[in-house]
């Protein structure tokens, strides 16, 4: 069973920093999704794909994966760079 650990990204509709300090452990899909012949919805029999575990930090998520024998890979968060400029720079 494989999983990935990543930090929750900020939503495009979100201006604050609520819930962006959480780390998520998600399982990789074990089988491909297929279309339902009656409704056309996509789905699969893999119930692990629905599981999202939340942790306060990366070390806790890695410890959980190691304790339960889950091979997990960590996706690092790219550093944020702020472009500081004055309002008057918009009119130059």
């Amino acid at each position: 069973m494989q999983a990935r650990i990543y930090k929750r990204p900020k939503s495009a509709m979100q201006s604050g920093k609520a819930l962006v300090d959480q780390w998520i452990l998600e399982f990789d899909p074990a089988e491909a999704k297929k279309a339902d012949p009656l409704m056309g919805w996509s789905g699969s029999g893999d119930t692990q794909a629905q599981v999202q575990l939340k942790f306060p930090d990366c070390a806790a998520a890695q410890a959980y994966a190691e304790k339960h024998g889950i091979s997990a890979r960590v996706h690092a968060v790219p550093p944020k760079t702020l472009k500081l400029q004055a309002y008057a720079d918009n009119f130059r």
Side-chain angles (χ1 to χ4, degrees):
M1 182 176 350
Q2 291 186 347
R4 64 185 185 122
I5 299 171
Y6 62 95
K7 193 169 185 178
R8 180 190 295 263
K10 191 167 109 171
S11 170
M13 302 300 293
Q14 180 179 359
S15 64
K17 295 183 180 178
L19 302 177
V20 295
D21 56 345
Q22 288 184 343
W23 286 81
I24 309 276
L25 185 139
E26 258 185 359
F27 294 98
D28 291 339
E31 62 183 53
K33 291 187 177 184
K34 53 186 176 259
D36 181 37
L38 180 63
M39 297 295 290
W41 296 342
S42 62
S44 70
D46 181 25
T47 57
Q48 288 291 340
Q50 301 172 6
V51 177
Q52 260 194 359
L53 301 174
K54 298 171 183 74
F55 296 94
D57 57 358
C58 183
Q62 287 177 331
Y64 178 85
E66 195 171 303
K67 179 181 176 184
H68 293 284
I70 301 167
S71 63
R73 60 190 184 282
V74 178
H75 293 275
V77 179
K80 287 187 178 180
T81 57
L82 294 175
K83 181 180 175 185
L84 298 176
Q85 67 181 27
Y87 179 71
D89 292 341
N90 293 333
F91 303 101
R92 288 187 182 180

